C-alpha cells in the first residue's frame, strides 16, 4: 500500500481525501490510499512520519504551509520564491528519508482565477497574509496585477481591516479571501470588509471550498459581483500533486 495524506490543523473540512479516494477508485489504483492527519503542532512532524512508514507524500494545509519549510531537506525553486509549500515528496534513500517541498497552489490558482480576470485596469485586495496568500501574490505578480494585502496586524506592507473604506473597495476590483474565515464548521463567519460598496464590476474569489458558498461569496453575489470558490483550484492543484508523487514513485 502506498499512502498519501494531508497534514494541518484542523483537516476535517478538507475534500482532499474524497478527491483522491474517488480518483483511485475511478482509475483502478487499489494500492493507493489518502488519509487526513490532524497535527496540532508542526514540531511533531518528524515523529509522525516515523509512525507512517508507508507514506510516500503529503499535502500541507493551514497553518503549516510556511513553517513546514523548516523541516524539509530540499525545496523546489519556485516554492522557495513563493515562500510556501503545500506538497511534499518523501524520498527514501541510502541515507534515510529525505523531504522535498513543492507549491502546487500556484498552478491551481493560475488556472482557476486568471481566466475570470477581465482585461483592463485591475488591482487586487488580498485578505490574509499566510501561506496561501503568498501563492496569490506570486500569481498576481506574474500577471502584473498590483495588490494590497490586508491583515489583522498593522505593518508597513499591508493595511488592517478597519482601514478598508469605500475608496479602497472601489480601487480594488478583485477581492481574494486567502484566510480560513468562513470555512466549515464556522460557516457564519466572514471577513470584515464593507460589502455595501461591492458592485457588479467586482470579482470575489474565495480559496475556501467548504461550504460551497461562503458568506463572503454570498454577499458579493448579492451585489452582482462575479464569484468563485476554491474547489476548482483544489482539483487542479491536486492533479499537479499526483504528477509529482506518481513521477517520484515510478522513478524509484
Amino acid at each position: 500500500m502506498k499512502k498519501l495524506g494531508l497534514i494541518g490543523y484542523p483537516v476535517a473540512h478538507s475534500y482532499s481525501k474524497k478527491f483522491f479516494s474517488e480518483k483511485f477508485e475511478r482509475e483502478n489504483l487499489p494500492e493507493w490510499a489518502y488519509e487526513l492527519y490532524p497535527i496540532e503542532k508542526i514540531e511533531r512532524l518528524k515523529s509522525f512520519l516515523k509512525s507512517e512508514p508507508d507514506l510516500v507524500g503529503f499535502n500541507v494545509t493551514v497553518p503549516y504551509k510556511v513553517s513546514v519549510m523548516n523541516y524539509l531537506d530540499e525545496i523546489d525553486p519556485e516554492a522557495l520564491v513563493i515562500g510556501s509549500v503545500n506538497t511534499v515528496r518523501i524520498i527514501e534513500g541510502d541515507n534515510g528519508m529525505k523531504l522535498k517541498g513543492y507549491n502546487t497552489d500556484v498552478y491551481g490558482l493560475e488556472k482557476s482565477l486568471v481566466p475570470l480576470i477581465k482585461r483592463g485596469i485591475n488591482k487586487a485586495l488580498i485578505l490574509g497574509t499566510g501561506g496561501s496568500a503568498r501563492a496569490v501574490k506570486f500569481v498576481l505578480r506574474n500577471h502584473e496585477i498590483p495588490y494590497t494585502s490586508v491583515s489583522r496586524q498593522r505593518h508597513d506592507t499591508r493595511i488592517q481591516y478597519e482601514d478598508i473604506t469605500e475608496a479602497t473597495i472601489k480601487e480594488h476590483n478583485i477581492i481574494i479571501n486567502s484566510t480560513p474565515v468562513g470555512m466549515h464548521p464556522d460557516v457564519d463567519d466572514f471577513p470584515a470588509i464593507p460589502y455595501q460598496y461591492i458592485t457588479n464590476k467586482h470579482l470575489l474569489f474565495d480559496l475556501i471550498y467548504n461550504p460551497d458558498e461562503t458568506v463572503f461569496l454570498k454577499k458579493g453575489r448579492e451585489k452582482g459581483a462575479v464569484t468563485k470558490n476554491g474547489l476548482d483550484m483544489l482539483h487542479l492543484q491536486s492533479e499537479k500533486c499526483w504528477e509529482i508523487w506518481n513521477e517520484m514513485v515510478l522513478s524509484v
Side-chain angles (χ1 to χ4, degrees):
M1 177 65 70
K2 303 182 188 71
K3 292 178 69 175
L4 302 167
L6 172 71
I7 70 162
Y9 196 81
V11 294
H13 67 279
S14 176
Y15 287 174
S16 292
K17 181 176 180 178
K18 179 178 184 291
F19 174 85
F20 279 105
S21 296
E22 291 177 352
K23 177 182 178 65
F24 298 153
E25 182 176 356
R26 183 174 62 251
E27 299 182 13
N28 192 27
L29 299 168
E31 71 278 15
W32 288 88
Y34 192 102
E35 301 294 339
L36 303 179
Y37 299 105
I39 298 179
E40 293 188 35
K41 294 182 179 180
I42 191 62
E43 291 81 3
R44 298 177 180 172
L45 179 62
K46 293 290 187 179
S47 59
F48 158 73
L49 293 175
K50 289 180 181 178
S51 70
E52 294 288 340
D54 294 330
L55 201 65
V56 297
F58 57 92
N59 288 126
V60 184
T61 189
V62 292
Y64 303 137
K65 291 186 177 183
V66 177
S67 58
V68 74
M69 297 174 73
N70 296 321
Y71 297 85
L72 305 179
D73 301 291
E74 186 179 352
I75 300 174
D76 179 75
E78 183 175 84
L80 198 59
V81 171
I82 296 165
S84 173
V85 162
N86 77 312
T87 304
V88 176
R89 284 172 45 174
I90 300 175
I91 305 167
E92 295 291 347
D94 296 336
N95 297 321
M97 180 177 64
K98 177 181 175 182
L99 304 179
K100 182 172 181 178
Y102 301 81
N103 189 302
T104 65
D105 280 339
V106 162
Y107 175 82
L109 191 64
E110 177 89 29
K111 299 294 184 182
S112 182
L113 170 65
V114 173
L116 300 177
I117 299 175
K118 297 179 180 178
R119 291 185 179 180
I121 300 173
N122 292 291
K123 190 172 183 181
L125 197 65
I126 306 173
L127 310 181
T129 55
S132 297
R134 295 186 182 201
V136 173
K137 292 175 186 178
F138 185 85
V139 170
L140 293 176
R141 285 196 298 267
N142 280 352
H143 290 270
E144 300 182 337
I145 297 174
Y147 57 81
T148 301
S149 294
V150 185
S151 174
R152 288 175 294 180
Q153 288 82 36
R154 192 173 300 281
H155 190 273
D156 292 342
T157 61
R158 54 183 180 255
I159 64 174
Q160 290 181 292
Y161 285 90
E162 52 263 41
D163 298 327
I164 302 175
T165 64
E166 178 180 2
T168 310
I169 297 296
K170 286 184 176 179
E171 182 185 1
H172 300 80
N173 62 316
I174 304 168
I175 306 177
I176 302 170
N177 179 34
S178 70
T179 77
V181 176
M183 183 175 70
H184 179 81
D186 302 314
V187 296
D188 294 326
D189 292 346
F190 53 90
I193 66 173
Y195 294 91
Q196 64 268 29
Y197 303 126
I198 292 172
T199 70
N200 59 6
K201 296 180 181 179
H202 282 88
L203 163 63
L204 270 63
F205 190 95
D206 201 331
L207 273 66
I208 294 171
Y209 51 81
N210 184 8
D212 293 339
E213 184 180 57
T214 57
V215 177
F216 168 75
L217 292 182
K218 181 175 182 291
K219 287 178 174 289
R221 176 175 57 79
E222 289 173 346
K223 290 295 184 177
V226 174
T227 63
K228 188 170 186 178
N229 70 13
L231 187 59
D232 189 36
M233 175 183 168
L234 171 72
H235 290 170
L236 288 162
Q237 69 91 3
S238 295
E239 289 293 354
K240 198 67 175 177
C241 294
W242 174 246
E243 288 181 19
I244 292 169
W245 293 323
N246 199 38
E247 177 185 0
M248 179 268 295
V249 171
L250 291 175
S251 65
V252 173

